[in-house]
Amino acid sequence: MSGRSVQERLRPALVSFEPYDPAFSPCEVNLSANENTHPLPESVNRALCEAMTSTPLNRYPDPLANALRDELAAWHGVGRSNVMVGNGGDELIFNLLFCFGGQGRSLVVCPPCFEEYKNFAKMCETDVVEVWRREDDYSIDDDALVEAARTAALIMITSPNNPTGDLVDPALVRRLLDETDALVLLDEAYVEFAPEGASLASWLAENPRLMLLRTLSKAFALAGLRCGYLLADPAIIDVLAAIRQIYSEDVVAQAAALAAVSMRDELRPVVASIVAERERLSVALSELPEVEQWPSSANFLLVRVPGAANVRARLRDEFSVLVRDFSYAPGLADCLRITVGTPTENDRLLEALRAILK
Ligand code: PMP
């Protein structure tokens, strides 16, 4: 390119970004991305196929995905005006920062947590204030968070948290709403795997600054489809509706998501089986003295093993089992994140770990 380089022409806030690397390697057992690897009930598979194949592709989608919004609203006991659908939760996180962040405004996060909050904030020229979790149990320092959030535009906390697995204390959310003026995003991407009642959806009506993020990528096993949604006050939803990429949720995704959400009761046994497997995996891991782990309310476990990067490489290369390496990440020395798989997949993982650690 003549004259200035592309980097020089680039918006300064975007200069340091690299393409996202999911650190994927082809393996027989992939427990690296917190996907749902369990088979779905035949009835759900059939409904998904039917929905996708009967959807005409020559017409543009409904920009607001209203049929899907209505079904999600009915499920959560809110109105259509409280729901916005996005191309995965990621799009909604980005759009929230695009709307409510910007120069001179800050986002408060509690790392280790989902890294896209920080990335998207930087892209949107929003300052990021990090209130690190305690090193031993990854709990949040409530006072420090409230203090940091007093002047923030936005707070993003994850419940259950990725990658630490813990639920946020509702009393902390209460304090953030009462003692700060920020918009509070509670990211409930994994909440279906937590005990009944863990979601704070029932708080929405009384708390217009509270927003909940949900996704069909986890419990609904539709990570490839790209569908997430936000539950929030209508004034927030209106803003998101106005700035969104108009057709980001395609017709196939809308149709399949509607079918899946309509059949949510039939997916309950799948979620129950993942939760049961999480407990079984956790007990089995506790029998390996080298492995430290933290309690999880999600579909994954965070573990610490000596030489984690090497353990991860051996799992991949010798046993064709892929887990996520977080050992390079601040606050997560020697940590691996293991998605809960099917019983067979979990057995493969356990057998491999026993062999490596013996
Ligand atoms: N929030 C958290 C905490 C996540 O871990 C993820 C995905 N890994 C997302 C949001 C976004 O998920 P998706 O874009 O697939 O809906």
Side-chain angles (χ1 to χ4, degrees), residues 65-85 201 204 214 229-232 237 258 261-262 264:
N66 280 326
L68 177 56
R69 285 171 89 196
D70 286 343
E71 187 64 28
L72 291 165
W75 173 17
H76 294 294
V78 297
R80 174 196 286 184
S81 63
N82 295 104
V83 186
M84 178 51 57
V85 172
L204 287 165
R214 306 281 292 252
Y229 59 100
L230 189 85
L231 303 174
I237 299 298
L258 177 59
V261 174
S262 310
R264 55 193 172 274

mmCIF file of all heavy atoms in Angstrom, residues 65-85 201 204 214 229-232 237 258 261-262 264:
data_model
loop_
_atom_site.group_PDB
_atom_site.id
_atom_site.type_symbol
_atom_site.label_atom_id
_atom_site.label_comp_id
_atom_site.label_asym_id
_atom_site.label_seq_id
_atom_site.Cartn_x
_atom_site.Cartn_y
_atom_site.Cartn_z
ATOM 1 N N ALA A 65 -36.308 -10.027 15.153
ATOM 2 C CA ALA A 65 -36.590 -11.415 15.548
ATOM 3 C C ALA A 65 -37.769 -11.478 16.518
ATOM 4 O O ALA A 65 -37.679 -12.105 17.581
ATOM 5 C CB ALA A 65 -35.334 -12.043 16.167
ATOM 6 N N ASN A 66 -38.858 -10.853 16.146
ATOM 7 C CA ASN A 66 -39.952 -10.695 17.115
ATOM 8 C C ASN A 66 -40.592 -12.001 17.569
ATOM 9 O O ASN A 66 -40.991 -12.114 18.727
ATOM 10 C CB ASN A 66 -41.000 -9.728 16.567
ATOM 11 C CG ASN A 66 -40.552 -8.282 16.753
ATOM 12 O OD1 ASN A 66 -39.895 -7.966 17.747
ATOM 13 N ND2 ASN A 66 -40.874 -7.415 15.802
ATOM 14 N N ALA A 67 -40.700 -12.989 16.674
ATOM 15 C CA ALA A 67 -41.301 -14.258 17.113
ATOM 16 C C ALA A 67 -40.441 -14.881 18.211
ATOM 17 O O ALA A 67 -40.952 -15.380 19.227
ATOM 18 C CB ALA A 67 -41.440 -15.199 15.923
ATOM 19 N N LEU A 68 -39.144 -14.828 18.016
ATOM 20 C CA LEU A 68 -38.218 -15.369 19.017
ATOM 21 C C LEU A 68 -38.255 -14.532 20.293
ATOM 22 O O LEU A 68 -38.255 -15.072 21.410
ATOM 23 C CB LEU A 68 -36.805 -15.404 18.414
ATOM 24 C CG LEU A 68 -35.667 -15.881 19.314
ATOM 25 C CD1 LEU A 68 -35.943 -17.270 19.889
ATOM 26 C CD2 LEU A 68 -34.348 -15.883 18.524
ATOM 27 N N ARG A 69 -38.288 -13.209 20.124
ATOM 28 C CA ARG A 69 -38.382 -12.349 21.320
ATOM 29 C C ARG A 69 -39.626 -12.704 22.135
ATOM 30 O O ARG A 69 -39.587 -12.757 23.368
ATOM 31 C CB ARG A 69 -38.478 -10.882 20.917
ATOM 32 C CG ARG A 69 -37.196 -10.268 20.445
ATOM 33 C CD ARG A 69 -37.467 -8.897 19.875
ATOM 34 N NE ARG A 69 -37.404 -7.826 20.849
ATOM 35 C CZ ARG A 69 -37.907 -6.607 20.647
ATOM 36 N NH1 ARG A 69 -38.541 -6.322 19.519
ATOM 37 N NH2 ARG A 69 -37.796 -5.678 21.563
ATOM 38 N N ASP A 70 -40.745 -12.946 21.438
ATOM 39 C CA ASP A 70 -41.983 -13.252 22.160
ATOM 40 C C ASP A 70 -41.852 -14.549 22.954
ATOM 41 O O ASP A 70 -42.333 -14.651 24.086
ATOM 42 C CB ASP A 70 -43.159 -13.341 21.178
ATOM 43 C CG ASP A 70 -43.576 -11.958 20.677
ATOM 44 O OD1 ASP A 70 -43.192 -10.947 21.314
ATOM 45 O OD2 ASP A 70 -44.267 -11.887 19.644
ATOM 46 N N GLU A 71 -41.224 -15.542 22.344
ATOM 47 C CA GLU A 71 -41.080 -16.832 23.029
ATOM 48 C C GLU A 71 -40.142 -16.683 24.244
ATOM 49 O O GLU A 71 -40.413 -17.212 25.324
ATOM 50 C CB GLU A 71 -40.525 -17.882 22.052
ATOM 51 C CG GLU A 71 -40.486 -19.301 22.597
ATOM 52 C CD GLU A 71 -41.879 -19.877 22.894
ATOM 53 O OE1 GLU A 71 -42.858 -19.462 22.231
ATOM 54 O OE2 GLU A 71 -41.977 -20.735 23.799
ATOM 55 N N LEU A 72 -39.058 -15.939 24.063
ATOM 56 C CA LEU A 72 -38.124 -15.708 25.183
ATOM 57 C C LEU A 72 -38.810 -14.905 26.286
ATOM 58 O O LEU A 72 -38.628 -15.176 27.481
ATOM 59 C CB LEU A 72 -36.878 -14.959 24.680
ATOM 60 C CG LEU A 72 -35.956 -15.771 23.758
ATOM 61 C CD1 LEU A 72 -34.964 -14.855 23.030
ATOM 62 C CD2 LEU A 72 -35.207 -16.837 24.545
ATOM 63 N N ALA A 73 -39.612 -13.934 25.875
ATOM 64 C CA ALA A 73 -40.324 -13.100 26.854
ATOM 65 C C ALA A 73 -41.301 -13.957 27.661
ATOM 66 O O ALA A 73 -41.386 -13.840 28.897
ATOM 67 C CB ALA A 73 -41.049 -11.964 26.143
ATOM 68 N N ALA A 74 -42.020 -14.847 26.963
ATOM 69 C CA ALA A 74 -42.988 -15.707 27.651
ATOM 70 C C ALA A 74 -42.269 -16.598 28.660
ATOM 71 O O ALA A 74 -42.736 -16.790 29.794
ATOM 72 C CB ALA A 74 -43.747 -16.556 26.628
ATOM 73 N N TRP A 75 -41.130 -17.125 28.259
ATOM 74 C CA TRP A 75 -40.350 -17.992 29.145
ATOM 75 C C TRP A 75 -39.944 -17.243 30.423
ATOM 76 O O TRP A 75 -40.082 -17.749 31.538
ATOM 77 C CB TRP A 75 -39.114 -18.497 28.391
ATOM 78 C CG TRP A 75 -38.119 -19.263 29.215
ATOM 79 C CD1 TRP A 75 -38.314 -19.839 30.437
ATOM 80 C CD2 TRP A 75 -36.758 -19.541 28.855
ATOM 81 N NE1 TRP A 75 -37.159 -20.448 30.866
ATOM 82 C CE2 TRP A 75 -36.195 -20.288 29.927
ATOM 83 C CE3 TRP A 75 -35.971 -19.239 27.743
ATOM 84 C CZ2 TRP A 75 -34.869 -20.736 29.906
ATOM 85 C CZ3 TRP A 75 -34.658 -19.692 27.725
ATOM 86 C CH2 TRP A 75 -34.122 -20.429 28.793
ATOM 87 N N HIS A 76 -39.465 -16.025 30.245
ATOM 88 C CA HIS A 76 -38.908 -15.307 31.398
ATOM 89 C C HIS A 76 -39.921 -14.412 32.107
ATOM 90 O O HIS A 76 -39.557 -13.703 33.041
ATOM 91 C CB HIS A 76 -37.693 -14.492 30.953
ATOM 92 C CG HIS A 76 -36.547 -15.359 30.516
ATOM 93 N ND1 HIS A 76 -35.873 -16.189 31.383
ATOM 94 C CD2 HIS A 76 -35.987 -15.566 29.301
ATOM 95 C CE1 HIS A 76 -34.937 -16.855 30.715
ATOM 96 N NE2 HIS A 76 -34.994 -16.489 29.459
ATOM 97 N N GLY A 77 -41.172 -14.466 31.661
ATOM 98 C CA GLY A 77 -42.206 -13.691 32.350
ATOM 99 C C GLY A 77 -42.023 -12.189 32.193
ATOM 100 O O GLY A 77 -42.322 -11.415 33.109
ATOM 101 N N VAL A 78 -41.495 -11.780 31.037
ATOM 102 C CA VAL A 78 -41.355 -10.348 30.759
ATOM 103 C C VAL A 78 -42.062 -10.046 29.433
ATOM 104 O O VAL A 78 -42.683 -10.929 28.841
ATOM 105 C CB VAL A 78 -39.861 -9.934 30.677
ATOM 106 C CG1 VAL A 78 -39.158 -10.151 32.014
ATOM 107 C CG2 VAL A 78 -39.140 -10.696 29.560
ATOM 108 N N GLY A 79 -41.971 -8.817 28.969
ATOM 109 C CA GLY A 79 -42.596 -8.472 27.695
ATOM 110 C C GLY A 79 -41.587 -8.481 26.563
ATOM 111 O O GLY A 79 -40.372 -8.476 26.796
ATOM 112 N N ARG A 80 -42.074 -8.466 25.330
ATOM 113 C CA ARG A 80 -41.182 -8.396 24.169
ATOM 114 C C ARG A 80 -40.240 -7.199 24.279
ATOM 115 O O ARG A 80 -39.077 -7.261 23.891
ATOM 116 C CB ARG A 80 -42.028 -8.279 22.904
ATOM 117 C CG ARG A 80 -41.198 -8.060 21.664
ATOM 118 C CD ARG A 80 -42.022 -7.562 20.486
ATOM 119 N NE ARG A 80 -42.850 -8.607 19.901
ATOM 120 C CZ ARG A 80 -43.596 -8.421 18.807
ATOM 121 N NH1 ARG A 80 -43.629 -7.236 18.210
ATOM 122 N NH2 ARG A 80 -44.334 -9.392 18.319
ATOM 123 N N SER A 81 -40.753 -6.104 24.852
ATOM 124 C CA SER A 81 -39.955 -4.873 24.933
ATOM 125 C C SER A 81 -38.780 -5.000 25.904
ATOM 126 O O SER A 81 -37.944 -4.108 25.980
ATOM 127 C CB SER A 81 -40.836 -3.701 25.360
ATOM 128 O OG SER A 81 -41.353 -3.951 26.657
ATOM 129 N N ASN A 82 -38.740 -6.107 26.658
ATOM 130 C CA ASN A 82 -37.612 -6.354 27.575
ATOM 131 C C ASN A 82 -36.537 -7.259 26.970
ATOM 132 O O ASN A 82 -35.592 -7.638 27.673
ATOM 133 C CB ASN A 82 -38.104 -7.047 28.857
ATOM 134 C CG ASN A 82 -39.031 -6.182 29.670
ATOM 135 O OD1 ASN A 82 -40.245 -6.389 29.665
ATOM 136 N ND2 ASN A 82 -38.477 -5.204 30.343
ATOM 137 N N VAL A 83 -36.710 -7.665 25.700
ATOM 138 C CA VAL A 83 -35.822 -8.679 25.133
ATOM 139 C C VAL A 83 -35.159 -8.175 23.848
ATOM 140 O O VAL A 83 -35.845 -7.641 22.969
ATOM 141 C CB VAL A 83 -36.607 -9.976 24.780
ATOM 142 C CG1 VAL A 83 -35.649 -11.079 24.325
ATOM 143 C CG2 VAL A 83 -37.454 -10.453 25.955
ATOM 144 N N MET A 84 -33.852 -8.343 23.735
ATOM 145 C CA MET A 84 -33.159 -8.096 22.469
ATOM 146 C C MET A 84 -32.333 -9.309 22.119
ATOM 147 O O MET A 84 -31.660 -9.877 22.979
ATOM 148 C CB MET A 84 -32.256 -6.864 22.579
ATOM 149 C CG MET A 84 -31.465 -6.545 21.329
ATOM 150 S SD MET A 84 -32.444 -6.465 19.814
ATOM 151 C CE MET A 84 -33.649 -5.225 20.241
ATOM 152 N N VAL A 85 -32.423 -9.727 20.849
ATOM 153 C CA VAL A 85 -31.690 -10.898 20.385
ATOM 154 C C VAL A 85 -30.424 -10.433 19.671
ATOM 155 O O VAL A 85 -30.416 -9.380 19.040
ATOM 156 C CB VAL A 85 -32.591 -11.722 19.430
ATOM 157 C CG1 VAL A 85 -31.808 -12.834 18.759
ATOM 158 C CG2 VAL A 85 -33.780 -12.290 20.196
ATOM 159 N N ALA A 201 -33.379 -13.037 37.061
ATOM 160 C CA ALA A 201 -34.373 -12.515 36.111
ATOM 161 C C ALA A 201 -35.554 -11.861 36.830
ATOM 162 O O ALA A 201 -36.114 -10.877 36.337
ATOM 163 C CB ALA A 201 -34.856 -13.636 35.196
ATOM 164 N N LEU A 204 -35.580 -7.996 37.378
ATOM 165 C CA LEU A 204 -35.552 -7.017 36.287
ATOM 166 C C LEU A 204 -36.618 -5.939 36.424
ATOM 167 O O LEU A 204 -36.339 -4.751 36.252
ATOM 168 C CB LEU A 204 -35.705 -7.737 34.943
ATOM 169 C CG LEU A 204 -34.472 -8.522 34.492
ATOM 170 C CD1 LEU A 204 -34.826 -9.471 33.361
ATOM 171 C CD2 LEU A 204 -33.352 -7.567 34.066
ATOM 172 N N ARG A 214 -28.061 -13.769 28.285
ATOM 173 C CA ARG A 214 -28.218 -15.224 28.190
ATOM 174 C C ARG A 214 -27.800 -15.654 26.776
ATOM 175 O O ARG A 214 -27.694 -14.839 25.877
ATOM 176 C CB ARG A 214 -29.693 -15.604 28.448
ATOM 177 C CG ARG A 214 -30.258 -15.067 29.769
ATOM 178 C CD ARG A 214 -29.820 -15.885 30.945
ATOM 179 N NE ARG A 214 -30.425 -17.202 30.916
ATOM 180 C CZ ARG A 214 -31.403 -17.620 31.734
ATOM 181 N NH1 ARG A 214 -31.887 -16.821 32.670
ATOM 182 N NH2 ARG A 214 -31.893 -18.841 31.661
ATOM 183 N N TYR A 229 -29.248 -13.436 23.922
ATOM 184 C CA TYR A 229 -30.266 -12.411 24.128
ATOM 185 C C TYR A 229 -30.028 -11.672 25.427
ATOM 186 O O TYR A 229 -29.377 -12.168 26.346
ATOM 187 C CB TYR A 229 -31.691 -12.980 24.069
ATOM 188 C CG TYR A 229 -31.996 -14.071 25.073
ATOM 189 C CD1 TYR A 229 -32.692 -13.793 26.249
ATOM 190 C CD2 TYR A 229 -31.603 -15.383 24.843
ATOM 191 C CE1 TYR A 229 -32.984 -14.791 27.163
ATOM 192 C CE2 TYR A 229 -31.890 -16.391 25.765
ATOM 193 C CZ TYR A 229 -32.574 -16.081 26.906
ATOM 194 O OH TYR A 229 -32.852 -17.073 27.810
ATOM 195 N N LEU A 230 -30.550 -10.456 25.436
ATOM 196 C CA LEU A 230 -30.421 -9.606 26.605
ATOM 197 C C LEU A 230 -31.814 -9.363 27.155
ATOM 198 O O LEU A 230 -32.763 -9.109 26.402
ATOM 199 C CB LEU A 230 -29.793 -8.273 26.192
ATOM 200 C CG LEU A 230 -29.413 -7.378 27.373
ATOM 201 C CD1 LEU A 230 -28.027 -7.776 27.883
ATOM 202 C CD2 LEU A 230 -29.401 -5.908 26.981
ATOM 203 N N LEU A 231 -31.937 -9.445 28.478
ATOM 204 C CA LEU A 231 -33.180 -9.067 29.156
ATOM 205 C C LEU A 231 -32.883 -7.769 29.904
ATOM 206 O O LEU A 231 -31.934 -7.709 30.688
ATOM 207 C CB LEU A 231 -33.599 -10.156 30.151
ATOM 208 C CG LEU A 231 -33.802 -11.565 29.576
ATOM 209 C CD1 LEU A 231 -34.067 -12.576 30.697
ATOM 210 C CD2 LEU A 231 -34.954 -11.576 28.577
ATOM 211 N N ALA A 232 -33.676 -6.740 29.650
ATOM 212 C CA ALA A 232 -33.372 -5.436 30.255
ATOM 213 C C ALA A 232 -34.592 -4.527 30.171
ATOM 214 O O ALA A 232 -35.635 -4.885 29.596
ATOM 215 C CB ALA A 232 -32.180 -4.789 29.544
ATOM 216 N N ILE A 237 -33.385 -1.626 25.736
ATOM 217 C CA ILE A 237 -33.656 -2.455 24.552
ATOM 218 C C ILE A 237 -33.886 -1.566 23.326
ATOM 219 O O ILE A 237 -33.398 -1.862 22.227
ATOM 220 C CB ILE A 237 -34.890 -3.369 24.804
ATOM 221 C CG1 ILE A 237 -34.637 -4.310 25.989
ATOM 222 C CG2 ILE A 237 -35.268 -4.138 23.535
ATOM 223 C CD1 ILE A 237 -33.506 -5.285 25.840
ATOM 224 N N LEU A 258 -36.007 -20.373 17.766
ATOM 225 C CA LEU A 258 -37.409 -20.393 18.203
ATOM 226 C C LEU A 258 -37.846 -21.828 18.509
ATOM 227 O O LEU A 258 -38.489 -22.090 19.540
ATOM 228 C CB LEU A 258 -38.299 -19.767 17.119
ATOM 229 C CG LEU A 258 -39.797 -19.771 17.391
ATOM 230 C CD1 LEU A 258 -40.126 -19.021 18.689
ATOM 231 C CD2 LEU A 258 -40.568 -19.152 16.220
ATOM 232 N N VAL A 261 -36.067 -22.953 21.817
ATOM 233 C CA VAL A 261 -36.589 -22.309 23.039
ATOM 234 C C VAL A 261 -38.005 -22.817 23.326
ATOM 235 O O VAL A 261 -38.368 -23.027 24.493
ATOM 236 C CB VAL A 261 -36.544 -20.767 22.904
ATOM 237 C CG1 VAL A 261 -37.220 -20.103 24.098
ATOM 238 C CG2 VAL A 261 -35.100 -20.289 22.792
ATOM 239 N N SER A 262 -38.782 -23.051 22.277
ATOM 240 C CA SER A 262 -40.139 -23.580 22.488
ATOM 241 C C SER A 262 -40.099 -24.963 23.132
ATOM 242 O O SER A 262 -41.030 -25.362 23.822
ATOM 243 C CB SER A 262 -40.896 -23.696 21.161
ATOM 244 O OG SER A 262 -40.816 -22.504 20.453
ATOM 245 N N ARG A 264 -37.889 -25.991 25.344
ATOM 246 C CA ARG A 264 -36.902 -25.917 26.431
ATOM 247 C C ARG A 264 -37.110 -26.982 27.499
ATOM 248 O O ARG A 264 -36.144 -27.470 28.086
ATOM 249 C CB ARG A 264 -36.900 -24.527 27.064
ATOM 250 C CG ARG A 264 -38.252 -24.043 27.571
ATOM 251 C CD ARG A 264 -38.209 -22.558 27.882
ATOM 252 N NE ARG A 264 -39.523 -22.011 28.199
ATOM 253 C CZ ARG A 264 -40.396 -21.580 27.303
ATOM 254 N NH1 ARG A 264 -40.120 -21.649 26.007
ATOM 255 N NH2 ARG A 264 -41.571 -21.100 27.684
#
